Amino acid sequence: MLSVVFSLALSCVPYSGLLAQSADYQKHITRSTMIGIGSTKVLDTYLSQEHFSGTGLSFLNIEERQKPDRHWMTLVEHEANISLVKDRVESKQEIEGAYNLYWGRLRSWHLLDGRLRLQAGAVGNISLGVIYNTANSNNPAQARAHLNLMPAATATYQFQIFGRPLSARYELALPLCGIMFSPNYGQSYYEIFSQGNYDHNAVPTTFVSAPEWRQILSIDANLSRRITLRIGYLGNMQQAKVNNLRQHVYTHRFLIGITKRFSIIPRTL
């Protein structure tokens, strides 16, 4: 008896209403997974006054989520790097590694009959990492931790070459303000964590004290209706001057990977 009543109740709900509800919760997702290789330059005056340079590897995952007919898009990026760098006379070396999470909201505009898509908004960045100097016996490592708010923008242009559809994408993010962990000049990690001696170790930052220039340029070539080959370039120039210490990590990567496009549609009765 209950099943009959439930079926009658469903029959009273307009089918168009179910479609509208389904469309409201539907999401279009573009997910790119790439690996990269290229140069890295490191300076950290807490560990050494020397400039180090070498080669690094990166993993980058970019996911864009947007509902149909909505102007706002959610951007999520995971970036992991590891590099082995040496000083100018190649007598010392450092190992640099970092993980970055970017989460943001961007508004979209479509121009040129939909061939050009512009997006602008802001992303939050959580950065964790370490720089390890193999030659230091005292304070051999420097921890990296930074929380950042960054204005961001992207531009995507669709075009054809010899009748083959291609897509070019450019992404730029710059710092606005944040907070950064740093030991003070001459302060050891033993003093911070074992003795609990705080000395301005959580430092507010701005685009002046911790400038950064992060950009991604990529080209997509369709392999099928939903799978695309993506090649590109990732450049991330990070600097900081806090607590009388200077640090910079410059990475340049050639990227290659796969982009997939799909939709998530909720199950309806």
Side-chain angles (χ1 to χ4, degrees), residues 91-111:
S91 62
K92 301 176 182 178
Q93 65 181 12
E94 291 182 341
I95 301 172
E96 182 273 333
Y99 166 74
N100 284 274
L101 170 64
Y102 300 89
W103 186 96
R105 295 280 288 170
L106 286 77
R107 194 190 190 283
S108 303
W109 293 270
H110 294 272
L111 306 172

Side-chain angles (χ1 to χ4, degrees), residues 135-155:
N136 287 2
S137 57
N138 187 28
N139 291 333
Q142 165 74 303
R144 301 174 62 198
H146 198 178
L147 179 64
N148 221 356
L149 177 63
M150 309 178 71
T154 72

Side-chain angles (χ1 to χ4, degrees), residues 94-230:
E94 291 182 341
I95 301 172
E96 182 273 333
Y99 166 74
N100 284 274
L101 170 64
Y102 300 89
W103 186 96
R105 295 280 288 170
L106 286 77
R107 194 190 190 283
S108 303
W109 293 270
H110 294 272
L111 306 172
L112 303 179
D113 296 326
R115 296 194 307 274
L116 176 62
R117 183 184 67 172
L118 301 178
Q119 297 174 305
V123 299
N125 166 227
I126 298 175
S127 180
L128 300 172
V130 65
I131 302 173
Y132 177 75
N133 190 304
T134 60
N136 287 2
S137 57
N138 187 28
N139 291 333
Q142 165 74 303
R144 301 174 62 198
H146 198 178
L147 179 64
N148 221 356
L149 177 63
M150 309 178 71
T154 72
T156 305
Y157 182 69
Q158 298 178 358
F159 60 101
Q160 290 188 357
I161 294 181
F162 302 117
R164 186 178 185 86
L166 300 172
S167 177
R169 180 182 183 274
Y170 179 74
E171 177 183 337
L172 175 66
L174 302 170
L176 180 62
C177 59
I179 187 168
M180 178 181 183
F181 166 80
S182 174
N184 216 318
Y185 183 81
Q187 184 185 27
S188 69
Y189 277 81
Y190 175 78
E191 294 177 84
I192 300 173
F193 296 108
S194 296
Q195 297 183 342
N197 294 337
Y198 175 82
D199 189 9
H200 199 241
N201 302 125
V203 187
T205 59
T206 67
F207 57 90
V208 177
S209 60
E212 181 175 347
W213 181 281
R214 182 178 186 265
Q215 56 183 338
I216 303 172
L217 176 63
S218 60
I219 300 288
D220 288 356
N222 292 341
L223 300 178
S224 67
R225 189 170 63 90
R226 294 187 177 182
I227 299 179
T228 300
L229 173 67
R230 173 170 288 190

Side-chain angles (χ1 to χ4, degrees), residues 82-94:
I82 186 167
S83 301
L84 181 62
V85 292
K86 297 182 179 180
D87 65 356
R88 285 170 287 187
V89 296
E90 297 188 353
S91 62
K92 301 176 182 178
Q93 65 181 12
E94 291 182 341

Side-chain angles (χ1 to χ4, degrees), residues 1-2 31 138 141 161 221 237-238:
M1 180 64 181
L2 289 176
R31 181 179 296 158
N138 187 28
I161 294 181
M237 280 64 76
Q238 299 175 321

